[in-house]
Amino acid sequence: MVAVVVHNLGMYAVIMAGGGGTRLWPLSRARRPKPFLPLLEGGCSLLEAGVSRLAPLIEPADIYIVTDARYADLVRELVPAIPATNILGEPMGRNTAAAVALAAHAIDRPDDVMVVLPADQAVADEAGFRAALASAGERAAAGDMVTLGVEPTEPSTGYGYVIAGGDATLYGGCESYRVERFEEKPDQARARELIASRSAYWNAGIFVWRRSSVLAGLARHSPDISEPIGDWIAAAPRGLEAGWPGTAMAQTYDRLRATSIDYALLEPASLEGQVAVVPVSVGWSDLGSWSALRDQRSEAGEPVIDVEPPARVIDVDGRGVFVHAAGGRTVAVVGLTDVIVVDTPDALLVCSAQAAQDVKKVVDRLKAEGRDDLL
Amino acid sequence: MVAVVVHNLGMYAVIMAGGGGTRLWPLSRARRPKPFLPLLEGGCSLLEAGVSRLAPLIEPADIYIVTDARYADLVRELVPAIPATNILGEPMGRNTAAAVALAAHAIDRPDDVMVVLPADQAVADEAGFRAALASAGERAAAGDMVTLGVEPTEPSTGYGYVIAGGDATLYGGCESYRVERFEEKPDQARARELIASRSAYWNAGIFVWRRSSVLAGLARHSPDISEPIGDWIAAAPRGLEAGWPGTAMAQTYDRLRATSIDYALLEPASLEGQVAVVPVSVGWSDLGSWSALRDQRSEAGEPVIDVEPPARVIDVDGRGVFVHAAGGRTVAVVGLTDVIVVDTPDALLVCSAQAAQDVKKVVDRLKAEGRDDLL
């Protein structure tokens, strides 16, 4: 293990609050997707929790949010501490590569350390999470592109993996490793192999890098995405001020390749030895399904009951039950084990916790039927 | 076994369509209780099914319905084949003893054979059921009060039992026995003993007797119920015609003891050797709970899905699932096993099939909270 001392740079954060969350249907809808839903204790949204989690390390004035322009008002309402000019509205979703390129070009800061992270995640050990970000920042300051790698707790097939190699290096209290490569979501057998190797981590979509590093990396590995955005930003008359997204931005976005920042930058950069990973074990979850959310919020099968008045819930002998009552009605659950009930005014979901991934099948069916009113 | 030939008398039926059915909440409500709900295949109610089931043996002109006066319009609507003057509206519920006494006094027929049966039951073998009623009618014509005893299929603690004694007698093709006594709903151990004795049957609340027998029996065993009703009927100016229930009837009912016909008549009469039982094995159920209804309607775990448009149901991989969607909304059920979902505009029930009896606890809680709007 080699300890390295680096310069101390300022940090800023870019939270990617796109849409999505179809597996949290029927609460998650196009008009109010996952990051903006009252999913946490006390009706708190993932976006609010994400900002609070960062605040002791990166204050709200240094937090930026990239979101679909149609959610900009919702974001302002949920996190009023974030300056309105820190909200970057995209004219349409073009996946995370475009969103990162937009943030890297448009946020006019000195060559600080930029933390990119998704809005839809939960973290149990928040202090540990911030410590890992700070360490990653130290390594990023030295030039690497750094990702946080979540120590796997099971051979999940739902995440991509980061494969570490070589010796540990210590930056600011946390170990980090060179990334050998990224692997896409594996099948069950491969997932077990990866876990057994003890050098594979879940890719949580959390990246830490200097602004100059990410701009250089994008220019090298995905110029077709970075250049049009850079050109448009250079010509944009009013920067981050109101008026975004205008026609020129929509025209630029419309032609962009929609791909993830993992494909566009991290994977090719890792093959050139420019990516590092800081392993974390902080109770992280992407809350990708109702059962993940239940597990996050429940200890030992205690029922989790969310009620939006005037709805109410009567629970008789429930175990491992999660009820979200937002349909204005009385919901009675009787003798249920490991069942999720999500009640909304126009749609109801009743789902076994084990089958929570299959909520996607319901959404697919509604899509096929053109039921946009329910999506 | 002794074969007996008896006189052939006319038969008429009295269907007791009171309220109740709290274990079928939230569909069953005070304003539309169990017998009137669209619970069966094709949205048919138990009352309609009961009339159809009798029709080949007892035609609609000879079928009478005793119900709470507030449901009289509902009854007329559901079974228009029944003459309006055959509907006897009670001013309030006073249990089955009062209802039987009312029917026995008020329905002015010669000394025919009267069949009393509840509206809320289902029968798989309808021809077998009618054959048993016809046989019971033969024995009743000879003077006995006869009950149909359902061959138990399990040591149920949810029914009272009829205990038979002595040798079988054959009337019109079915065996019958003298009833030794009735037993109230037993505990589990006693239920197993009863089953093992092979001479105990479920009391299904189906009784067959001559009008003169039941009037004499009531006069002897429960004059406090029979006499006030008889006196009021004798003084009533217009019999079964419109205008029931008037003030005089309400005053009479208000003072009546509320008890079951079993307590008021059958139990004491059985101790005097006046009651007989015709065992039946016809796939009978009182549909006393959502799981009983599911079992009645489902073969081998096939999902049972009732939809009242514009509601709709999407079922992904359900097993033993029963969904009744009457809330106008889209209901998605995903990966459920043995779960019942009943959706209505103002209340939703999600219940494990095993715990279907506990729906009563929800109703009790709503009662305690004075939520009459949901009851």
PDB file of all heavy atoms in Angstrom, chain B residues 57-81:
ATOM      1  N   LEU B  57     -87.854 -27.266  -9.299  1.00  0.00           N
ATOM      2  CA  LEU B  57     -88.639 -27.971  -8.269  1.00  0.00           C
ATOM      3  C   LEU B  57     -89.781 -27.090  -7.771  1.00  0.00           C
ATOM      4  O   LEU B  57     -90.903 -27.563  -7.555  1.00  0.00           O
ATOM      5  CB  LEU B  57     -87.717 -28.341  -7.107  1.00  0.00           C
ATOM      6  CG  LEU B  57     -88.336 -29.070  -5.910  1.00  0.00           C
ATOM      7  CD1 LEU B  57     -88.754 -30.489  -6.325  1.00  0.00           C
ATOM      8  CD2 LEU B  57     -87.359 -29.124  -4.735  1.00  0.00           C
ATOM      9  N   ILE B  58     -89.492 -25.812  -7.578  1.00  0.00           N
ATOM     10  CA  ILE B  58     -90.488 -24.878  -7.035  1.00  0.00           C
ATOM     11  C   ILE B  58     -90.466 -23.640  -7.922  1.00  0.00           C
ATOM     12  O   ILE B  58     -89.467 -22.916  -7.966  1.00  0.00           O
ATOM     13  CB  ILE B  58     -90.135 -24.497  -5.576  1.00  0.00           C
ATOM     14  CG1 ILE B  58     -90.036 -25.755  -4.712  1.00  0.00           C
ATOM     15  CG2 ILE B  58     -91.152 -23.508  -5.018  1.00  0.00           C
ATOM     16  CD1 ILE B  58     -89.554 -25.495  -3.297  1.00  0.00           C
ATOM     17  N   GLU B  59     -91.554 -23.401  -8.600  1.00  0.00           N
ATOM     18  CA  GLU B  59     -91.503 -22.312  -9.581  1.00  0.00           C
ATOM     19  C   GLU B  59     -91.563 -20.947  -8.893  1.00  0.00           C
ATOM     20  O   GLU B  59     -92.017 -20.841  -7.746  1.00  0.00           O
ATOM     21  CB  GLU B  59     -92.595 -22.489 -10.630  1.00  0.00           C
ATOM     22  CG  GLU B  59     -93.994 -22.450 -10.065  1.00  0.00           C
ATOM     23  CD  GLU B  59     -95.017 -22.710 -11.169  1.00  0.00           C
ATOM     24  OE1 GLU B  59     -94.738 -23.564 -12.043  1.00  0.00           O
ATOM     25  OE2 GLU B  59     -96.067 -22.056 -11.152  1.00  0.00           O
ATOM     26  N   PRO B  60     -91.085 -19.914  -9.591  1.00  0.00           N
ATOM     27  CA  PRO B  60     -90.961 -18.586  -8.979  1.00  0.00           C
ATOM     28  C   PRO B  60     -92.240 -18.091  -8.313  1.00  0.00           C
ATOM     29  O   PRO B  60     -92.168 -17.401  -7.286  1.00  0.00           O
ATOM     30  CB  PRO B  60     -90.547 -17.700 -10.159  1.00  0.00           C
ATOM     31  CG  PRO B  60     -89.766 -18.613 -11.038  1.00  0.00           C
ATOM     32  CD  PRO B  60     -90.458 -19.947 -10.933  1.00  0.00           C
ATOM     33  N   ALA B  61     -93.403 -18.438  -8.844  1.00  0.00           N
ATOM     34  CA  ALA B  61     -94.658 -17.975  -8.225  1.00  0.00           C
ATOM     35  C   ALA B  61     -94.809 -18.536  -6.818  1.00  0.00           C
ATOM     36  O   ALA B  61     -95.547 -17.976  -5.990  1.00  0.00           O
ATOM     37  CB  ALA B  61     -95.847 -18.378  -9.084  1.00  0.00           C
ATOM     38  N   ASP B  62     -94.113 -19.644  -6.531  1.00  0.00           N
ATOM     39  CA  ASP B  62     -94.196 -20.270  -5.211  1.00  0.00           C
ATOM     40  C   ASP B  62     -92.959 -19.990  -4.355  1.00  0.00           C
ATOM     41  O   ASP B  62     -92.718 -20.661  -3.353  1.00  0.00           O
ATOM     42  CB  ASP B  62     -94.391 -21.790  -5.358  1.00  0.00           C
ATOM     43  CG  ASP B  62     -95.749 -22.129  -5.968  1.00  0.00           C
ATOM     44  OD1 ASP B  62     -96.733 -21.420  -5.643  1.00  0.00           O
ATOM     45  OD2 ASP B  62     -95.816 -23.071  -6.772  1.00  0.00           O
ATOM     46  N   ILE B  63     -92.147 -19.042  -4.801  1.00  0.00           N
ATOM     47  CA  ILE B  63     -90.960 -18.667  -4.019  1.00  0.00           C
ATOM     48  C   ILE B  63     -91.206 -17.312  -3.368  1.00  0.00           C
ATOM     49  O   ILE B  63     -91.629 -16.359  -4.033  1.00  0.00           O
ATOM     50  CB  ILE B  63     -89.698 -18.610  -4.916  1.00  0.00           C
ATOM     51  CG1 ILE B  63     -89.422 -19.995  -5.524  1.00  0.00           C
ATOM     52  CG2 ILE B  63     -88.483 -18.130  -4.105  1.00  0.00           C
ATOM     53  CD1 ILE B  63     -88.235 -20.031  -6.487  1.00  0.00           C
ATOM     54  N   TYR B  64     -90.960 -17.243  -2.077  1.00  0.00           N
ATOM     55  CA  TYR B  64     -91.132 -16.012  -1.292  1.00  0.00           C
ATOM     56  C   TYR B  64     -89.769 -15.598  -0.765  1.00  0.00           C
ATOM     57  O   TYR B  64     -88.901 -16.445  -0.531  1.00  0.00           O
ATOM     58  CB  TYR B  64     -92.108 -16.245  -0.129  1.00  0.00           C
ATOM     59  CG  TYR B  64     -93.481 -16.661  -0.612  1.00  0.00           C
ATOM     60  CD1 TYR B  64     -93.725 -17.974  -1.014  1.00  0.00           C
ATOM     61  CD2 TYR B  64     -94.527 -15.736  -0.681  1.00  0.00           C
ATOM     62  CE1 TYR B  64     -94.971 -18.360  -1.483  1.00  0.00           C
ATOM     63  CE2 TYR B  64     -95.785 -16.107  -1.150  1.00  0.00           C
ATOM     64  CZ  TYR B  64     -95.999 -17.427  -1.545  1.00  0.00           C
ATOM     65  OH  TYR B  64     -97.237 -17.804  -2.013  1.00  0.00           O
ATOM     66  N   ILE B  65     -89.614 -14.321  -0.579  1.00  0.00           N
ATOM     67  CA  ILE B  65     -88.327 -13.827  -0.081  1.00  0.00           C
ATOM     68  C   ILE B  65     -88.568 -12.916   1.113  1.00  0.00           C
ATOM     69  O   ILE B  65     -89.328 -11.943   1.014  1.00  0.00           O
ATOM     70  CB  ILE B  65     -87.564 -13.081  -1.198  1.00  0.00           C
ATOM     71  CG1 ILE B  65     -87.221 -14.077  -2.315  1.00  0.00           C
ATOM     72  CG2 ILE B  65     -86.286 -12.436  -0.646  1.00  0.00           C
ATOM     73  CD1 ILE B  65     -86.698 -13.454  -3.572  1.00  0.00           C
ATOM     74  N   VAL B  66     -87.962 -13.279   2.241  1.00  0.00           N
ATOM     75  CA  VAL B  66     -88.029 -12.417   3.421  1.00  0.00           C
ATOM     76  C   VAL B  66     -86.735 -11.623   3.476  1.00  0.00           C
ATOM     77  O   VAL B  66     -85.639 -12.192   3.460  1.00  0.00           O
ATOM     78  CB  VAL B  66     -88.203 -13.235   4.716  1.00  0.00           C
ATOM     79  CG1 VAL B  66     -88.268 -12.289   5.922  1.00  0.00           C
ATOM     80  CG2 VAL B  66     -89.448 -14.095   4.648  1.00  0.00           C
ATOM     81  N   THR B  67     -86.882 -10.307   3.524  1.00  0.00           N
ATOM     82  CA  THR B  67     -85.686  -9.465   3.506  1.00  0.00           C
ATOM     83  C   THR B  67     -85.947  -8.205   4.317  1.00  0.00           C
ATOM     84  O   THR B  67     -87.088  -7.912   4.677  1.00  0.00           O
ATOM     85  CB  THR B  67     -85.303  -9.111   2.049  1.00  0.00           C
ATOM     86  OG1 THR B  67     -84.043  -8.439   2.042  1.00  0.00           O
ATOM     87  CG2 THR B  67     -86.346  -8.200   1.394  1.00  0.00           C
ATOM     88  N   ASP B  68     -84.888  -7.467   4.605  1.00  0.00           N
ATOM     89  CA  ASP B  68     -85.081  -6.162   5.233  1.00  0.00           C
ATOM     90  C   ASP B  68     -85.812  -5.273   4.224  1.00  0.00           C
ATOM     91  O   ASP B  68     -85.476  -5.269   3.039  1.00  0.00           O
ATOM     92  CB  ASP B  68     -83.717  -5.563   5.584  1.00  0.00           C
ATOM     93  CG  ASP B  68     -83.845  -4.341   6.474  1.00  0.00           C
ATOM     94  OD1 ASP B  68     -84.467  -3.344   6.044  1.00  0.00           O
ATOM     95  OD2 ASP B  68     -83.319  -4.383   7.601  1.00  0.00           O
ATOM     96  N   ALA B  69     -86.800  -4.527   4.703  1.00  0.00           N
ATOM     97  CA  ALA B  69     -87.629  -3.726   3.788  1.00  0.00           C
ATOM     98  C   ALA B  69     -86.788  -2.830   2.885  1.00  0.00           C
ATOM     99  O   ALA B  69     -87.143  -2.576   1.738  1.00  0.00           O
ATOM    100  CB  ALA B  69     -88.626  -2.879   4.586  1.00  0.00           C
ATOM    101  N   ARG B  70     -85.606  -2.385   3.399  1.00  0.00           N
ATOM    102  CA  ARG B  70     -84.820  -1.458   2.570  1.00  0.00           C
ATOM    103  C   ARG B  70     -84.206  -2.144   1.350  1.00  0.00           C
ATOM    104  O   ARG B  70     -83.709  -1.478   0.446  1.00  0.00           O
ATOM    105  CB  ARG B  70     -83.732  -0.787   3.408  1.00  0.00           C
ATOM    106  CG  ARG B  70     -82.651  -1.722   3.886  1.00  0.00           C
ATOM    107  CD  ARG B  70     -81.651  -0.985   4.794  1.00  0.00           C
ATOM    108  NE  ARG B  70     -81.195  -1.892   5.841  1.00  0.00           N
ATOM    109  CZ  ARG B  70     -80.069  -1.749   6.499  1.00  0.00           C
ATOM    110  NH1 ARG B  70     -79.288  -0.723   6.250  1.00  0.00           N
ATOM    111  NH2 ARG B  70     -79.714  -2.613   7.422  1.00  0.00           N
ATOM    112  N   TYR B  71     -84.196  -3.494   1.349  1.00  0.00           N
ATOM    113  CA  TYR B  71     -83.658  -4.201   0.184  1.00  0.00           C
ATOM    114  C   TYR B  71     -84.750  -4.669  -0.770  1.00  0.00           C
ATOM    115  O   TYR B  71     -84.454  -5.341  -1.763  1.00  0.00           O
ATOM    116  CB  TYR B  71     -82.826  -5.415   0.622  1.00  0.00           C
ATOM    117  CG  TYR B  71     -81.737  -5.086   1.613  1.00  0.00           C
ATOM    118  CD1 TYR B  71     -81.579  -5.843   2.766  1.00  0.00           C
ATOM    119  CD2 TYR B  71     -80.869  -4.012   1.400  1.00  0.00           C
ATOM    120  CE1 TYR B  71     -80.584  -5.537   3.686  1.00  0.00           C
ATOM    121  CE2 TYR B  71     -79.883  -3.698   2.315  1.00  0.00           C
ATOM    122  CZ  TYR B  71     -79.750  -4.467   3.455  1.00  0.00           C
ATOM    123  OH  TYR B  71     -78.776  -4.161   4.364  1.00  0.00           O
ATOM    124  N   ALA B  72     -86.009  -4.359  -0.472  1.00  0.00           N
ATOM    125  CA  ALA B  72     -87.120  -4.896  -1.280  1.00  0.00           C
ATOM    126  C   ALA B  72     -86.978  -4.498  -2.754  1.00  0.00           C
ATOM    127  O   ALA B  72     -87.175  -5.322  -3.650  1.00  0.00           O
ATOM    128  CB  ALA B  72     -88.457  -4.427  -0.710  1.00  0.00           C
ATOM    129  N   ASP B  73     -86.594  -3.252  -3.003  1.00  0.00           N
ATOM    130  CA  ASP B  73     -86.437  -2.803  -4.392  1.00  0.00           C
ATOM    131  C   ASP B  73     -85.310  -3.558  -5.102  1.00  0.00           C
ATOM    132  O   ASP B  73     -85.422  -3.935  -6.269  1.00  0.00           O
ATOM    133  CB  ASP B  73     -86.142  -1.295  -4.448  1.00  0.00           C
ATOM    134  CG  ASP B  73     -87.378  -0.472  -4.103  1.00  0.00           C
ATOM    135  OD1 ASP B  73     -88.500  -1.020  -4.181  1.00  0.00           O
ATOM    136  OD2 ASP B  73     -87.210   0.702  -3.742  1.00  0.00           O
ATOM    137  N   LEU B  74     -84.232  -3.767  -4.359  1.00  0.00           N
ATOM    138  CA  LEU B  74     -83.091  -4.503  -4.889  1.00  0.00           C
ATOM    139  C   LEU B  74     -83.520  -5.923  -5.274  1.00  0.00           C
ATOM    140  O   LEU B  74     -83.147  -6.444  -6.335  1.00  0.00           O
ATOM    141  CB  LEU B  74     -82.025  -4.537  -3.787  1.00  0.00           C
ATOM    142  CG  LEU B  74     -80.563  -4.700  -4.119  1.00  0.00           C
ATOM    143  CD1 LEU B  74     -80.113  -3.758  -5.215  1.00  0.00           C
ATOM    144  CD2 LEU B  74     -79.735  -4.447  -2.839  1.00  0.00           C
ATOM    145  N   VAL B  75     -84.319  -6.555  -4.418  1.00  0.00           N
ATOM    146  CA  VAL B  75     -84.793  -7.917  -4.674  1.00  0.00           C
ATOM    147  C   VAL B  75     -85.664  -7.947  -5.929  1.00  0.00           C
ATOM    148  O   VAL B  75     -85.491  -8.795  -6.805  1.00  0.00           O
ATOM    149  CB  VAL B  75     -85.581  -8.454  -3.454  1.00  0.00           C
ATOM    150  CG1 VAL B  75     -86.289  -9.762  -3.805  1.00  0.00           C
ATOM    151  CG2 VAL B  75     -84.655  -8.644  -2.258  1.00  0.00           C
ATOM    152  N   ARG B  76     -86.576  -6.991  -6.022  1.00  0.00           N
ATOM    153  CA  ARG B  76     -87.453  -6.927  -7.207  1.00  0.00           C
ATOM    154  C   ARG B  76     -86.630  -6.809  -8.487  1.00  0.00           C
ATOM    155  O   ARG B  76     -86.924  -7.429  -9.496  1.00  0.00           O
ATOM    156  CB  ARG B  76     -88.385  -5.719  -7.089  1.00  0.00           C
ATOM    157  CG  ARG B  76     -89.745  -6.068  -6.482  1.00  0.00           C
ATOM    158  CD  ARG B  76     -90.757  -4.935  -6.685  1.00  0.00           C
ATOM    159  NE  ARG B  76     -90.472  -3.779  -5.838  1.00  0.00           N
ATOM    160  CZ  ARG B  76     -90.885  -3.671  -4.573  1.00  0.00           C
ATOM    161  NH1 ARG B  76     -91.597  -4.640  -3.995  1.00  0.00           N
ATOM    162  NH2 ARG B  76     -90.580  -2.606  -3.868  1.00  0.00           N
ATOM    163  N   GLU B  77     -85.575  -6.008  -8.406  1.00  0.00           N
ATOM    164  CA  GLU B  77     -84.733  -5.766  -9.563  1.00  0.00           C
ATOM    165  C   GLU B  77     -83.950  -7.024  -9.971  1.00  0.00           C
ATOM    166  O   GLU B  77     -83.817  -7.358 -11.139  1.00  0.00           O
ATOM    167  CB  GLU B  77     -83.748  -4.674  -9.156  1.00  0.00           C
ATOM    168  CG  GLU B  77     -83.140  -3.841 -10.236  1.00  0.00           C
ATOM    169  CD  GLU B  77     -82.247  -2.784  -9.590  1.00  0.00           C
ATOM    170  OE1 GLU B  77     -82.775  -1.831  -8.963  1.00  0.00           O
ATOM    171  OE2 GLU B  77     -81.014  -2.955  -9.673  1.00  0.00           O
ATOM    172  N   LEU B  78     -83.425  -7.718  -8.947  1.00  0.00           N
ATOM    173  CA  LEU B  78     -82.565  -8.871  -9.220  1.00  0.00           C
ATOM    174  C   LEU B  78     -83.360 -10.083  -9.695  1.00  0.00           C
ATOM    175  O   LEU B  78     -82.902 -10.826 -10.549  1.00  0.00           O
ATOM    176  CB  LEU B  78     -81.757  -9.243  -7.968  1.00  0.00           C
ATOM    177  CG  LEU B  78     -80.601  -8.319  -7.603  1.00  0.00           C
ATOM    178  CD1 LEU B  78     -80.006  -8.718  -6.253  1.00  0.00           C
ATOM    179  CD2 LEU B  78     -79.514  -8.368  -8.677  1.00  0.00           C
ATOM    180  N   VAL B  79     -84.544 -10.313  -9.103  1.00  0.00           N
ATOM    181  CA  VAL B  79     -85.331 -11.509  -9.458  1.00  0.00           C
ATOM    182  C   VAL B  79     -86.745 -11.092  -9.849  1.00  0.00           C
ATOM    183  O   VAL B  79     -87.714 -11.347  -9.120  1.00  0.00           O
ATOM    184  CB  VAL B  79     -85.340 -12.553  -8.305  1.00  0.00           C
ATOM    185  CG1 VAL B  79     -84.016 -13.289  -8.271  1.00  0.00           C
ATOM    186  CG2 VAL B  79     -85.591 -11.911  -6.953  1.00  0.00           C
ATOM    187  N   PRO B  80     -86.861 -10.486 -11.041  1.00  0.00           N
ATOM    188  CA  PRO B  80     -88.176  -9.981 -11.466  1.00  0.00           C
ATOM    189  C   PRO B  80     -89.207 -11.090 -11.672  1.00  0.00           C
ATOM    190  O   PRO B  80     -90.406 -10.808 -11.701  1.00  0.00           O
ATOM    191  CB  PRO B  80     -87.852  -9.250 -12.786  1.00  0.00           C
ATOM    192  CG  PRO B  80     -86.539  -9.790 -13.234  1.00  0.00           C
ATOM    193  CD  PRO B  80     -85.796 -10.180 -12.005  1.00  0.00           C
ATOM    194  N   ALA B  81     -88.738 -12.348 -11.780  1.00  0.00           N
ATOM    195  CA  ALA B  81     -89.689 -13.446 -11.974  1.00  0.00           C
ATOM    196  C   ALA B  81     -90.512 -13.713 -10.711  1.00  0.00           C
ATOM    197  O   ALA B  81     -91.580 -14.316 -10.770  1.00  0.00           O
ATOM    198  CB  ALA B  81     -88.945 -14.716 -12.385  1.00  0.00           C
TER     199      ALA B  81
END
